[in-house]
Every structure is written in structure tokens, then in C-alpha cells.
């Protein structure tokens, strides 16, 4: 153990695995201290530029000094100032002023802490969505290619995880894609609905700015518009308290939680299919599935997605409760909570999208296993077809139904009690009663005749709904993703 006061190495301190193990560099940077405090300085610059353009006594020299020091952040000094002042914004005002002595008097002029705090959060949330959306589009694109490739491959369908009528491998994949397309729309809408807090003052009344501009309401409105535009937003919230409404955070985390639910469902399906040995996620040459059982091929990527997706889904409870207890114009019990839940939601979404992309780029299908499972169940599913064929050949439906009932129960006993294969069709072939249709049995048992319009549904869905939704992201579709630790 290090003695008190001794500097500990990095491995002696807790680090969030979201960053240390999994998250992409770009998403980790988006929620970094450097991005946060660099954005604060840019917001102070935007405010000064706008105030100058509207007639306040701010010089070009002061603006140039601020511009030259946007990224010249003395983090050690800022930490010392915050420890002394117990106020993070004022600590950084002092730190910025230290390297901008000529501009010191006009930094943060008329503003409240939430001018930089909340507006930076909104910029970071917007940029976080802009990082997630191409990644989600890439996952959809990879799965769309998979669905197209296997659009017509029959597979046993399941309802209640019990054998049901056939579907196709590609059609099942389209169920996943449809959910993700909904998520794509939800994330786009949540991003586009974000507004800037803007320049509103301590309780949202803009009183300080009205005083600065000597009662000129039009200049205060123009100041708000100019800063909003400089920050890259089209609109600002027309009314705020000291903060923007915390219901905004609910909307943001709700769509991310919904994405988590989609990915959890997809990866659960893949895990179940891996158990059935029909489809597997990629498994690397030197990968170890179990320390004790060398033969195992555990679906660890899909398991990771499910594990982290559960965390993502729970995070929406934080902004729900925070919004509910914001007293009047604001209370500070939102701050520490939001530092955790907003960043973790985006980091977690980023991780599970990257992992699912890796999975979707390497899915392995085992057609022979799929065919064998169909052969085990299809004879029972074909009974209605056999009855109809016998009626067309002159048989009596009720007599045929009773014959099939007896033979199918005998075959079921072989499967369940003896562990044998389903021999129902062999029993039909051996029964003279069914001789009128013996030559039709092969065609009556063709799996493709049981999949309905699944191949056509896949083609139409991909062409009309999926591919068009991906057009805005075409330039970012290239490249495979490597799995994190």
C-alpha cells in the first residue's frame, strides 16, 4: 500500500471499465474533461464576441487573447482553484483569466454557471448522438447484408421457444433490423429535438443581460440568437429556469434505453441460436471459451451486449427522478447524478453498438444443423398438407385425420421416450392407406413451401425501408470494427 501522500500508479486506482476496457476513443473524448472545459472556453468566447457585436465595450485584443488560449488549459491550477473556491465554474473563470489578463474583466460577463454548464451538456449530448448514429447505421447495414444473403433459407420458427411454423434465417434477422430502424429514427429525432439553453441568466429571466444592454430587449434577444447560432444550434429553449428542463435528459436517455432493449433482444436470440448450434457469433482462432472446458465456444460478445444493455436500460431512472425533484428554478441535487448517468448512457450505447457490429460482421450459419432441426419437426407440421392431398386423391378427411393422429403419436413416442429420430414420414410411407400420395410426399415436405412470403418480405423491407434510411450515413459505412478487450 502506498503511504499517505505518495502518488499511486494508475493500476492502484479505480477506473471505470466503460472507458478503460470498452469505449471508443471518440466517445471517451466526448465526455472528457478536455472536451468539457475547452467547450466552456469557447462558450465564453461566443458570448464575448456576440456582446461586442451588439455594442458592449469589448476590444478586438481581448477577443484575440481568448481565441489564442482556448485549449491552453492549466488543469492543475483549475483543480487548486476549485478546491479553494468549491465552485468549478469560477475556478475555470479564474484559470482562463490567468492566461487572458486583458480579457479577464469580460470573461463570463452577465452569465450564470449554467451558461457554460448546461450549454456544454447540450453540445456534448448532440455530439454523442452524432457519434452513435453512424455506428447504429453500420450495424443495420451489416445485418441487412446478412438478411439478404439468407432471405430464402428455411429455418424452424419458435413461439414460446417451442417449435412453430417455418420462417427463414433472413426473415428472422429482419425482425432485429426493424427494431434497430426504429431506434435509428428515435435517436435522430432526439438529437434534432435538442435545443440550446442559450443566454438566459441566473433564473432564466435574462435580467443581467437586460441591464448590460440598458433595457434594450431586442439586443438581449439577438444576443441569445447569436450565441445559439455560434454553438451550432438552430433553436434555443424559449423559457428556462437556471437550467434547461431536466425532462430533456429523460428524452435522451429513454431512446438510449430503448436501443439497449433492442440489442438485448437481438443478442439473446443469437445466444439461443448458438445453443441450438444453428448460428454463432465470430470466434477467434486463439479464443478460449472456458478455462475448465476447452471445447466450449461461449457467445461472450452477445453476453457482453446483454450485460451492458441491462445497465443502459436502468439509467433512464436517474433523469426521471431528477426531473421530478427539481424545485422551482433549480436545485443542485441534479449535478452529481447527471455527471454519471449522461456519460455512462452514451458510453454504454457506444460499446454495445461496436460489439454488435463486430458480431454482425462475423455471424456464422450452419445450414446442415438448421436442415436437421427442420427434418425433426417438419413431418408434424406437414400433417395438414398430407390431409389435403389425401382428400384431393379421394380420401375421407376424418379417416385420414385419425390415421395421422395415431401415426404422429407413435412417432412422438420414439422421439420423446426412446430418443430416436422423428419417423413419422417413414410410417406414412409404410402404410398402404397413404399409397395414393406416396409420390407426392417429397414435394409436400419441401421446406421452402412452408416459409410463405418470407423471402419476398425480406426483399421488399430491405429495399423500401432499410436501405433508404441508411442513405445519410453512406459515407461512414466502411471498415470493420475490432472487438475491445
Amino acid at each position: 500500500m502506498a503511504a499517505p501522500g505518495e502518488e499511486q500508479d494508475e493500476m492502484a486506482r479505480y477506473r471505470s471499465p466503460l472507458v478503460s476496457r470498452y469505449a471508443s476513443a471518440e466517445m471517451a473524448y466526448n465526455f472528457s474533461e478536455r472536451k468539457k472545459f475547452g467547450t466552456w472556453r469557447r462558450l465564453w468566447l461566443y458570448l464575448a464576441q456576440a456582446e461586442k457585436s451588439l455594442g458592449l465595450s469589448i476590444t478586438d485584443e481581448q477577443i484575440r487573447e481568448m481565441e489564442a488560449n482556448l485549449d491552453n488549459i492549466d488543469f492543475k491550477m483549475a483543480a487548486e482553484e476549485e478546491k479553494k473556491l468549491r465552485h468549478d465554474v469560477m475556478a475555470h473563470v479564474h484559470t482562463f483569466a490567468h492566461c487572458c489578463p486583458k480579457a479577464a474583466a469580460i470573461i463570463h460577463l452577465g452569465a450564470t454557471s449554467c451558461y457554460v454548464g448546461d450549454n456544454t451538456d447540450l453540445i456534448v449530448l448532440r455530439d454523442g448522438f452524432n457519434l452513435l448514429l453512424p455506428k447504429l447505421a453500420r450495424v443495420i447495414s451489416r445485418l441487412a447484408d446478412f438478411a439478404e444473403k439468407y432471405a430464402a433459407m428455411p429455418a424452424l420458427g419458435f413461439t414460446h421457444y417451442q417449435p412453430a411454423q417455418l420462417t427463414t434465417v433472413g426473415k428472422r434477422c429482419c425482425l432485429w433490423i426493424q427494431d434497430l430502424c426504429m431506434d435509428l429514427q428515435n435517436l435522430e429525432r432526439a438529437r434534432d429535438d435538442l435545443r440550446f439553453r442559450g443566454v438566459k441568466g441566473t433564473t432564466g429571466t435574462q435580467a443581467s443581460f437586460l441591464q448590460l444592454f440598458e433595457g434594450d430587449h431586442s439586443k438581449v434577444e439577438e444576443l441569445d440568437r447569436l450565441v445559439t447560432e455560434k454553438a451550432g444550434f438552430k433553436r434555443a429553449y424559449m423559457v428556462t429556469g437556471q437550467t434547461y428542463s431536466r425532462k430533456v435528459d429523460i428524452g435522451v436517455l429513454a431512446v438510449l434505453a430503448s436501443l439497449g432493449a433492442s440489442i438485448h433482444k437481438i443478442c439473446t436470440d443469437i445466444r439461443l441460436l448458438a445453443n441450438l448450434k444453428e448460428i454463432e457469433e465470430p470466434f477467434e482462432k486463439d479464443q478460449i471459451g472456458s478455462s475448465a472446458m476447452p471445447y466450449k465456444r461461449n457467445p461472450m460478445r452477445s453476453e457482453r451486449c446483454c450485460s451492458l444493455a441491462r445497465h443502459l436500460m436502468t439509467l433512464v431512472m436517474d433523469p426521471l427522478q431528477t426531473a421530478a425533484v427539481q424545485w422551482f428554478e433549480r436545485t443542485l441535487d441534479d449535478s452529481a447524478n447527471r455527471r454519471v448517468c449522461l456519460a455512462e448512457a452514451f458510453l454504454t450505447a457506444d460499446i454495445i453498438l461496436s460489439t454488435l457490429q463486430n458480431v454482425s460482421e462475423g455471424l456464422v450459419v450452419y445450414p446442415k444443423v438448421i436442415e436437421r432441426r427442420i427434418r425433426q419437426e417438419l413431418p408434424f407440421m406437414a400433417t395438414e398438407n398430407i390431409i389435403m392431398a389425401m382428400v384431393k386423391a379421394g380420401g375421407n378427411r376424418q379417416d385420414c385425420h385419425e390415421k395421422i393422429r395415431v401415426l404422429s403419436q407413435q412417432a412422438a413416442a420414439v422421439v420423446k421416450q426412446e430418443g430416436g429420430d422423428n419417423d413419422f414420414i417413414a410410417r406414412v410411407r409404410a402404410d398402404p392407406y397413404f399409397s395414393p400420395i406416396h409420390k407426392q410426399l417429397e414435394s409436400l415436405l419441401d421446406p421452402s413451401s412452408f416459409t410463405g412470403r418470407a423471402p419476398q418480405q425480406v426483399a421488399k423491407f430491405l429495399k423500401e425501408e432499410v436501405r433508404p434510411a441508411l442513405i445519410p450515413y453512406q459515407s461512414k459505412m466502411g471498415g470493420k470494427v475490432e472487438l475491445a478487450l
Side-chain angles (χ1 to χ4, degrees), residues 146-148 150-153 168-175 177 454 458:
F146 179 86
E148 189 170 50
Y150 295 100
M153 178 181 284
T168 70
V169 172
K171 171 64 190 302
R172 175 179 284 145
C173 183
C174 284
L175 298 178
I177 295 170
V458 171

Side-chain angles (χ1 to χ4, degrees), residues 28-42:
Y29 173 75
N30 190 51
F31 287 91
S32 69
E33 299 286 89
R34 187 166 295 281
K35 167 78 177 274
K36 175 181 177 179
F37 297 127
T39 303
W40 284 13
R41 291 193 174 189
R42 283 161 176 78

Side-chain angles (χ1 to χ4, degrees), residues 443-463:
S443 62
L444 291 173
L445 290 166
D446 179 5
S448 63
S449 68
F450 289 81
T451 59
R453 297 192 64 254
Q456 291 74 23
Q457 287 179 345
V458 171
K460 187 177 179 66
F461 174 59
L462 296 181
K463 179 182 178 181

Side-chain angles (χ1 to χ4, degrees), residues 87 142 176-177 213 241 367 437 481:
H87 198 289
R142 304 305 190 263
W176 305 339
I177 295 170
F213 289 105
I437 63 164
V481 67

Side-chain angles (χ1 to χ4, degrees), residues 237-304:
Y237 296 107
M238 293 186 70
V239 294
T240 71
Q242 190 171 89
T243 68
Y244 67 79
S245 171
R246 295 311 184 217
K247 282 186 72 66
V248 173
D249 296 342
I250 296 174
V252 169
L253 265 63
V255 298
L256 297 181
S258 182
L259 171 65
S262 298
I263 293 178
H264 198 295
K265 184 265 191 292
I266 293 167
C267 291
T268 299
D269 283 357
I270 292 172
R271 292 164 66 189
L272 293 170
L273 289 167
N275 174 262
L276 297 174
K277 297 180 174 58
E278 292 190 8
I279 292 178
E280 285 183 345
E281 65 178 39
F283 196 90
E284 296 167 19
K285 178 176 177 290
D286 296 322
Q287 183 175 333
I288 295 174
S290 167
S291 61
M293 295 167 280
Y295 60 86
K296 292 193 75 178
R297 293 170 65 94
N298 299 337
M300 54 82 66
R301 293 162 170 81
S302 298
E303 289 173 323
R304 175 182 297 175

